[in-house]
Amino acid sequence: MKNLFTLILLFSLFSELSLAQESEIDTTQIVNLDEVILIGKRDLKKEKSIKPLASIDEYLEESNKITMIKRGNYAWEPAINNMVSDRISVTIDGMQIFGACTDKMDPITSYVDISNLAEVHIKSGQQGTENGATIGGGIDMKLQKSDFGEELWDIGIDSGFETNGNATIFSSEFNYKNEKLFSNSDVMYRKSGNYYAGGNKEVLFSQYEKFNISTVLGYKTSENGAIIGSFIFDKATDIGYPALPMDVSLAQAMIGSVSYTHKNMALINNWETKLYMNSVEHVMDDSQRPDVIIHMDMPGWSDTYGFYSKAKVNKDKHELLFNINSYYNKSLAEMTMYPNNPNENEMFMLTWPDVRTWYSGVYAEDNFRLSEKENLKITSRVGFQNERVADEFGLNSLRIFYPDMEASQNRFLMSFSSAYEIKIKKLSLMIGTAYGERAPSVSEGYGFYLFNSYDNFDYIGNPYLNKEQSLEFNGEVRYNLKGLTFSIEASYFHMNNYIIGQIDPTLSPMTIGASGVKIYSALDYATIFDANLNVSYLFLGNWKLDGSVGYSYGKDNFGENLPLISPVSYKAGINYKKNLFQAEINMEGASKQYDYAADYGEDQSEAYTVFNASTSYNFYFGSHKMFAKAGISNIFDTFYSTFADWNNIPRMGRNVFLNLTYLIK
Ligand SMILES: [Cu+2]
């Protein structure tokens, strides 16, 4: 808390000092509900503190709406409004894709790399339902695509090095376009050894290696029509998860799509129809770990086939968007246990019993400009979902607990949101309300003895769970004056039938050493509240000051704390930019976690503050460009772990990095 006050004091001091020299930039605009993170490793104008070759996870962490849950140095799990995987919708360019791990080791974000992407759109709560049902919000990662035009090509070569973990990054890309054709191709490779926490403490099993290749091809079929195909192959191997009892020997995805886009038809400005399929394979591995009592093989597979067709219509004061989508997913995971005693039998289980999920839905959105200064945005999604357990053995296993369980079940899912925005001089106000529903995930509905190392319980799914329902209120106030931007945003969620695991004392665990068995069940309700305060200030022409403070609150219906809710967190930075040179110093930290969820197996995280610095320069050699960025993170080599670190694994200590990107045109 002391740090926080120092920070606020510093802010007011800076504001006082530089009030006389305000910059002329006025960024007043109606509140934008969509936060966009630009993924531009070669966007030379970018003044963000991030490393250009940072992982997608590090880019996402820049967002105030997102926190990343960490089980190691790879494949962090994004949370929006303090809600993770099952409660949020994550898509790649509108395509549904689901991880193949029963232990959430492979969020969708781990199957792409920044070389594939142009930007990431983040929408909070029910504003994020364009691509699927959600409670917490939606993340859509937009693929990098050129447009047709005058003939142009470029080649990019990038490399990065980091001292902590001896991490190396190489990537290369080739882009071409003309009036009829475009293509974007890239390869990316990352490798890191074990990283070291503050005080030079090695974090064992935190290494990884990743290879990604992608290509997008566009062909113009007529004046207004185009066919675009995309393909991503992503393969990570030898990934350590220091927070978990197992590692991953292979996490691999193939993600493909073909789409047809037509522009400027009678009423429709843009109409895109896409067919897609993707296949994910995930293989867990405990063979590197010492003292394993029973070796286990735990592979998982997830295949998804789908389509969407979306149309944008601008008519009078309405900006309309319609999206019809459908997908079919097949999730299968198994576990084989090999006892050390050769006289005992191997044990085989289906942890995900080949669950087939078929979803079809319609989304509509209207952005209605009521007047020069007022805007009303309404969104709605209606969907139908069928789930079927396709494997007889898996179904019979679940029938041990649910003898009358049917193989198949149907649900209707609904969502609605509205937001009203008004601009009064330099002030923008937004208030919104929403209602949404989600179906239980595959693990929540059909999981079979899924070990959770966070609370040390085996989890069993529950096919009789009701839909989770969320009532949401949100608001935002934004104030712009010359170089000063100030905003506060807040969201409140009241969730009925809140799905969470509850102890069943009559059952004994399958995992040796586990504390017991939890069955997914529903609380009457739970509430989550988040608020964010952001300030940015441009002064003296070249300087920029940024700061943010976040507050969250989460309780169940007994008044007990929910797990994985952030304590008070803060960030502040000062940036200097002149011509081709840029430098920045920033700090980030959090208070002690006072409201931790002891009842759900969580322990308290301590307060921390870390400091980072970086500098960059753009070099021009004729038509060639080089962008160099160097920096140091966790300057004082602080040993710390946050509320979002699974089983308190410590974060990275001091790290010096250098990123070079070279562009030939
Ligand atoms: Cu896994």
Side-chain angles (χ1 to χ4, degrees):
M1 262 341 242
K2 212 179 107 200
N3 288 322
L4 194 66
F5 290 128
T6 321
L7 179 81
I8 292 165
L9 201 76
L10 248 150
F11 259 121
S12 32
L13 198 71
F14 264 110
S15 316
E16 298 283 334
L17 278 175
S18 35
L19 210 65
Q21 302 106 346
E22 283 158 348
S23 142
E24 287 308 302
I25 299 163
D26 183 355
T27 51
T28 312
Q29 56 176 323
I30 290 250
V31 175
N32 191 355
L33 297 166
D34 190 353
E35 182 180 351
V36 178
I37 298 181
L38 292 172
I39 312 280
K41 53 183 187 201
R42 229 166 278 107
D43 186 353
L44 308 184
K45 281 184 231 98
K46 226 162 152 273
E47 53 182 60
K48 278 277 192 184
S49 57
I50 190 132
K51 299 174 274 195
L53 300 177
S55 67
I56 176 72
D57 294 340
E58 289 169 302
Y59 272 96
L60 287 172
E61 209 167 33
E62 291 284 293
S63 161
N64 286 323
K65 292 194 174 79
I66 292 185
T67 46
M68 302 299 285
I69 310 294
K70 300 183 183 178
R71 297 170 174 84
N73 202 12
Y74 184 81
W76 302 340
E77 184 185 7
I80 312 177
N81 292 313
N82 290 288
M83 292 183 235
V84 291
S85 308
D86 301 335
R87 288 193 175 88
I88 65 174
S89 152
V90 184
T91 47
I92 301 171
D93 228 13
M95 298 184 279
Q96 292 287 344
I97 164 167
F98 299 90
C101 176
T102 51
D103 298 344
K104 299 183 177 178
M105 293 156 114
D106 69 338
I108 294 323
T109 40
S110 70
Y111 290 115
V112 289
D113 210 320
I114 57 161
S115 50
N116 312 134
L117 306 176
E119 50 191 38
V120 180
H121 289 224
I122 301 153
K123 293 184 184 180
S124 177
Q126 296 304 316
Q127 297 281 345
T129 57
E130 189 200 324
N131 300 302
T134 179
I135 298 284
I139 299 176
D140 190 32
M141 299 178 278
K142 303 282 185 194
L143 296 179
Q144 193 206 333
K145 289 180 215 116
S146 297
D147 210 346
F148 304 103
E150 201 180 315
E151 186 171 36
L152 215 65
W153 62 268
D154 63 65
I155 295 172
I157 300 160
D158 317 287
S159 69
F161 179 73
E162 308 196 6
T163 54
N164 199 325
N166 273 324
T168 47
I169 307 157
F170 292 103
S171 91
S172 166
E173 67 180 272
F174 174 70
N175 301 306
Y176 175 81
K177 68 169 183 177
N178 65 26
E179 300 288 351
K180 215 60 200 136
L181 201 81
F182 72 76
S183 89
N184 308 101
S185 309
D186 48 72
V187 282
M188 186 125 203
Y189 174 77
R190 297 173 186 271
K191 185 178 168 72
S192 173
N194 286 337
Y195 73 88
Y196 288 77
N200 212 27
K201 293 185 184 71
E202 184 174 7
V203 179
L204 294 173
F205 309 107
S206 61
Q207 80 290 345
Y208 63 85
E209 186 168 5
K210 176 184 173 103
F211 174 75
N212 178 294
I213 181 164
S214 82
T215 183
V216 177
L217 277 172
Y219 179 72
K220 204 165 179 174
T221 51
S222 66
E223 179 58 28
N224 292 318
I227 292 182
I228 297 171
S230 75
F231 182 75
I232 300 172
F233 174 76
D234 188 281
K235 180 179 181 176
T237 49
D238 188 25
I239 314 160
Y241 288 82
L244 304 179
M246 288 192 110
D247 303 310
V248 165
S249 57
L250 176 73
Q252 179 174 298
M254 283 183 272
I255 302 159
S257 74
V258 181
S259 68
Y260 177 74
T261 308
H262 205 98
K263 283 180 192 163
N264 309 323
M265 296 160 76
L267 249 177
I268 302 170
N269 299 66
N270 193 306
W271 185 10
E272 182 193 8
T273 302
K274 184 184 274 182
L275 288 171
Y276 62 87
M277 61 181 289
N278 53 68
S279 177
V280 176
E281 185 180 1
H282 175 86
V283 182
M284 286 185 262
D285 173 32
D286 59 8
S287 63
Q288 309 302 314
R289 298 295 179 108
D291 315 320
V292 174
I293 303 163
I294 289 187
H295 275 290
M296 288 185 277
D297 266 348
M298 295 176 71
W301 299 269
S302 164
D303 296 325
T304 308
Y305 311 86
F307 89 93
Y308 70 76
S309 185
K310 66 173 167 185
K312 282 181 190 164
V313 177
N314 292 346
K315 185 141 176 39
D316 305 326
K317 291 178 171 170
H318 297 271
E319 263 176 56
L320 303 163
L321 172 67
F322 302 94
N323 187 336
I324 297 172
N325 68 339
S326 184
Y327 66 82
Y328 182 78
N329 170 265
K330 187 175 172 320
S331 288
L332 175 72
E334 52 182 57
M335 173 157 93
T336 312
M337 291 184 180
Y338 303 94
N340 285 340
N341 179 351
N343 298 323
E344 286 175 38
N345 286 332
E346 284 175 13
M347 196 161 68
F348 178 81
M349 290 190 299
L350 281 177
T351 43
W352 277 349
D354 195 359
V355 180
R356 313 288 177 96
T357 304
W358 176 57
Y359 175 91
S360 291
V362 184
Y363 171 85
E365 169 186 312
D366 182 9
N367 230 323
F368 181 21
R369 196 149 282 258
L370 299 166
S371 72
E372 274 288 287
K373 297 191 152 93
E374 289 164 288
N375 198 57
L376 180 67
K377 186 175 179 183
I378 292 173
T379 73
S380 176
R381 168 171 279 284
V382 182
F384 168 78
Q385 181 162 319
N386 171 269
E387 290 146 25
R388 186 167 63 86
V389 178
D391 190 285
E392 201 61 29
F393 172 72
L395 182 62
N396 288 332
S397 305
L398 281 166
R399 280 185 174 149
I400 298 168
F401 304 105
Y402 309 102
D404 302 324
M405 176 187 164
E406 304 269 350
S408 162
Q409 67 172 313
N410 299 325
R411 287 188 179 91
F412 278 99
L413 299 169
M414 259 178 35
S415 153
F416 171 82
S417 85
S418 68
Y420 170 77
E421 306 163 46
I422 183 164
K423 199 175 103 178
I424 310 162
K425 293 189 176 155
K426 303 285 180 193
L427 196 69
S428 301
L429 296 171
M430 188 277 286
I431 50 163
T433 179
Y435 170 81
E437 300 174 336
R438 74 163 179 111
S441 65
V442 172
S443 289
E444 290 167 339
Y446 308 98
F448 194 72
Y449 287 100
L450 307 178
F451 178 63
N452 182 341
S453 65
Y454 193 75
D455 56 8
N456 201 39
F457 274 83
D458 276 343
Y459 277 65
I460 292 172
N462 178 354
Y464 296 128
L465 286 171
N466 283 321
K467 295 182 285 195
E468 193 172 277
Q469 301 160 316
S470 163
L471 183 63
E472 179 191 333
F473 300 95
N474 48 55
E476 181 167 349
V477 180
R478 183 183 292 264
Y479 181 73
N480 286 279
L481 182 72
K482 304 278 171 81
L484 178 75
T485 307
F486 171 89
S487 73
I488 296 181
E489 46 186 322
S491 300
Y492 175 79
F493 299 85
H494 181 98
M495 292 163 282
N496 285 333
N497 303 322
Y498 185 84
I499 301 169
I500 201 159
Q502 284 172 341
I503 298 171
D504 185 331
T506 64
L507 300 174
S508 34
M510 197 74 79
T511 307
I512 292 167
S515 308
V517 176
K518 284 189 180 179
I519 302 256
Y520 278 108
S521 28
L523 295 175
D524 275 355
Y525 67 88
T527 52
I528 288 183
F529 174 77
D530 303 284
N532 257 301
L533 185 152
N534 298 291
V535 185
S536 86
Y537 186 48
L538 289 161
F539 61 102
L540 296 173
N542 304 100
W543 294 84
K544 191 179 178 200
L545 201 61
D546 274 301
S548 66
V549 180
Y551 171 81
S552 308
Y553 162 106
K555 297 265 189 220
D556 67 12
N557 57 331
F558 305 107
E560 299 296 334
N561 296 316
L562 293 177
L564 292 171
I565 302 289
S566 175
V568 172
S569 64
Y570 53 89
K571 283 183 196 170
I574 184 158
N575 188 298
Y576 176 79
K577 188 166 174 284
K578 186 153 194 191
N579 303 330
L580 304 172
F581 173 81
Q582 181 270 135
E584 164 157 337
I585 296 177
N586 65 53
M587 68 186 277
E588 56 194 288
S591 74
K592 188 171 178 166
Q593 190 185 19
Y594 293 101
D595 298 319
Y596 66 102
D599 287 6
Y600 293 103
E602 186 170 49
D603 57 11
Q604 191 168 36
S605 61
E606 293 298 322
Y608 71 90
T609 311
V610 292
F611 293 84
N612 314 301
S614 67
T615 178
S616 65
Y617 196 81
N618 295 311
F619 301 86
Y620 287 84
F621 313 100
S623 64
H624 297 192
K625 281 182 211 171
M626 187 171 84
F627 180 51
K629 184 156 188 163
I632 173 164
S633 53
N634 193 355
I635 297 172
F636 302 110
D637 202 30
T638 306
F639 183 91
Y640 71 109
S641 91
T642 80
F643 86 99
D645 297 308
W646 207 255
N647 290 333
N648 306 319
I649 44 153
R651 294 254 164 139
M652 193 179 272
R654 187 185 298 120
N655 181 27
V656 179
F657 71 85
L658 174 66
N659 281 190
L660 294 172
T661 84
Y662 198 87
L663 188 70
I664 303 162
K665 276 192 176 176

